[in-house]
Amino acid sequence: MKLRLAVLLTGGVIALAACTPTKAAQPTPVAESTSATSTSTTESSAPPSSSSVAPTSTTAPKSATNGPVKPPPNPGTPAPAGAPGWQLTQNNTGLAAQGLTCDALPAYTGPASPAAGTVISGKRIEQALVLFAGNITIEKSCIRPAKLNEAAPLVTTNGPCGSNSCQVTAAPVTIRDSNIDGSRLSASTIAKSCAFLGVGTLQRNYITGMGSGICFYNTGSSLNALADGNYIRGLRTAGDAHNDGATIRDFPLDRNPNRTLTFRNNRIDCSTGQDTGALFIQTYGGDIDNVTVEGNLLEGGGYQLGLESSHGNQYGRNMRAINNRFTGSGWGAAYVTANGVGYKWAVWQDNYLLDPNAPDAKGKPAGTP
């Protein structure tokens, strides 16, 4: 019987332990998690304290390049604006789409925790980043550390952590047209790591070589979250880790009912052999609502789109899945574990198995989970 993972809090660090699903005929997904620890601490990144406030900056914005990076002499060809996930490739996302490469960029020599207002443009960043100060933009850059604490994220918006929570950034963070690359780290180091952990806007990035990709976890109570036009592939695993191409672990609306979280036009491939799935939505850290999953290609093992109510928290009534494509490999396209919630996706519309030869890649309909 296939092993799944349960989340345990052990010594302030989110650890992973194997457990066996209870449904014999078809495995039933149960709680599992990538690590949510900050790069600057070994303590847990459990749901944040409601009083967590990030410091604000009164200084003028800082730039790591004194302005945006100059266009390369041979620019690449980005994916067309609004292109769905099934049109994304390694060549039309991230640096390649801009005609840039990691090795050709000048080294970033700034701090691992840049100040509010910082713009990092056109740099090769060889250290993990803590973007807790907020109001930070990283563009046309390569984040490719050579050293990292085991299970730490490459990039996080988490701030200082206490005994059971980490502070949440109070201002937006954007990463766009960049590469986030864990290939210079061992599989055992990054198997339980996220490329990005926290809350922010990620657009048109190429993410590879990690245990998991985009992890919207410890998202706080006010900021929106957006993943748009990213290509996540080449994930790696080791030991007892299971991997998410992308995941949502909390997104409560109690303080800001109008905030939104969107996964739009991404290509997410989770194919490590120890897969949770391409996009795993589980209320491990808190309630989740106002989520739209639209225009994505979800590939790989496990269930490619999971929606779980668990750990005493619930997903809400505005969860929408529209016009996605699934390869249907692993355990299947999608599942829902309601755990007494009584409702599933508010909108499940125009979702299909992938057929590259069909108009708009529409194969057979993906049945409502």
Side-chain angles (χ1 to χ4, degrees):
M1 185 175 292
K2 191 174 182 69
L3 292 180
R4 306 294 288 165
L5 297 181
V7 181
L8 302 176
L9 287 173
T10 306
V13 179
I14 293 181
L16 299 172
C19 64
T20 304
T22 58
K23 188 176 179 180
Q26 182 177 10
T28 300
V30 297
E32 63 187 75
S33 175
T34 48
S35 175
T37 53
S38 167
T39 56
S40 60
T41 180
T42 58
E43 296 191 70
S44 167
S45 179
S49 167
S50 61
S51 61
S52 297
V53 178
T56 57
S57 172
T58 58
T59 59
K62 299 175 176 61
S63 172
T65 59
N66 295 320
V69 64
K70 294 181 180 179
N74 298 305
T77 304
W86 48 95
Q87 294 182 11
L88 300 187
T89 69
Q90 185 175 346
N91 294 323
N92 65 14
T93 52
L95 290 178
Q98 307 300 318
L100 300 168
T101 66
C102 284
D103 292 335
L105 296 176
Y108 169 73
T109 58
S113 299
T118 298
V119 174
I120 302 174
S121 185
K123 292 293 185 179
R124 186 180 73 254
I125 305 166
E126 297 183 335
Q127 59 186 326
L129 294 174
V130 178
L131 307 183
F132 173 63
N135 191 23
I136 295 170
T137 296
I138 299 174
E139 63 179 12
K140 299 177 183 178
S141 294
C142 176
I143 304 170
R144 190 178 62 181
K147 295 181 180 180
L148 189 73
N149 292 333
E150 187 172 321
L154 265 64
V155 183
T156 184
T157 59
N158 285 352
C161 297
S163 59
N164 62 358
S165 66
C166 291
Q167 295 183 35
V168 180
T169 183
V173 166
T174 298
I175 304 174
R176 62 193 178 208
D177 301 312
S178 297
N179 285 16
I180 306 178
D181 186 346
S183 63
R184 295 201 168 178
L185 301 161
S186 69
S188 60
T189 296
I190 54 81
K192 299 178 183 179
S193 296
C194 298
F196 175 88
L197 173 68
V199 60
T201 294
L202 290 92
Q203 296 172 296
R204 303 178 300 276
N205 301 295
Y206 178 69
I207 299 173
T208 190
M210 291 302 302
S212 295
I214 298 171
C215 303
F216 287 140
Y217 179 28
N218 207 37
T219 61
S221 58
S222 60
L223 297 174
N224 294 333
L226 172 65
D228 185 4
N230 305 284
Y231 184 15
I232 301 169
R233 64 172 296 275
L235 301 180
R236 297 180 293 152
T237 196
D240 64 352
H242 274 205
N243 310 100
D244 311 324
T247 189
I248 305 167
R249 298 302 174 95
D250 58 48
F251 199 73
L253 306 183
D254 52 330
R255 293 197 175 187
N256 179 8
N258 296 316
R259 68 192 301 230
T260 59
L261 189 158
T262 304
F263 272 90
R264 181 175 61 218
N265 297 338
N266 303 282
R267 182 175 180 180
I268 305 175
D269 183 359
C270 189
S271 301
T272 68
Q274 297 180 186
D275 312 297
T276 305
L279 178 52
F280 180 51
I281 305 172
Q282 183 198 63
T283 60
Y284 168 72
D287 293 344
I288 296 173
D289 203 358
N290 282 7
V291 172
T292 299
V293 179
E294 182 173 10
N296 304 282
L297 171 58
L298 302 180
E299 307 177 81
Y303 284 104
Q304 289 156 7
L305 178 58
L307 176 61
E308 287 194 9
S309 174
S310 67
H311 295 84
N313 304 308
Q314 296 184 344
Y315 59 80
R317 294 182 178 274
N318 191 28
M319 306 290 291
R320 300 157 54 87
I322 303 168
N323 195 35
N324 299 288
R325 303 291 179 271
F326 306 88
T327 58
S329 51
W331 291 350
Y335 76 93
V336 172
T337 300
N339 281 335
V341 170
Y343 47 87
K344 299 182 179 181
W345 291 96
V347 178
W348 180 271
Q349 177 181 320
D350 296 330
N351 297 302
Y352 296 89
L353 298 183
L354 178 73
D355 183 346
N357 299 316
D360 206 20
K362 291 181 178 179
K364 296 180 180 180
T368 304

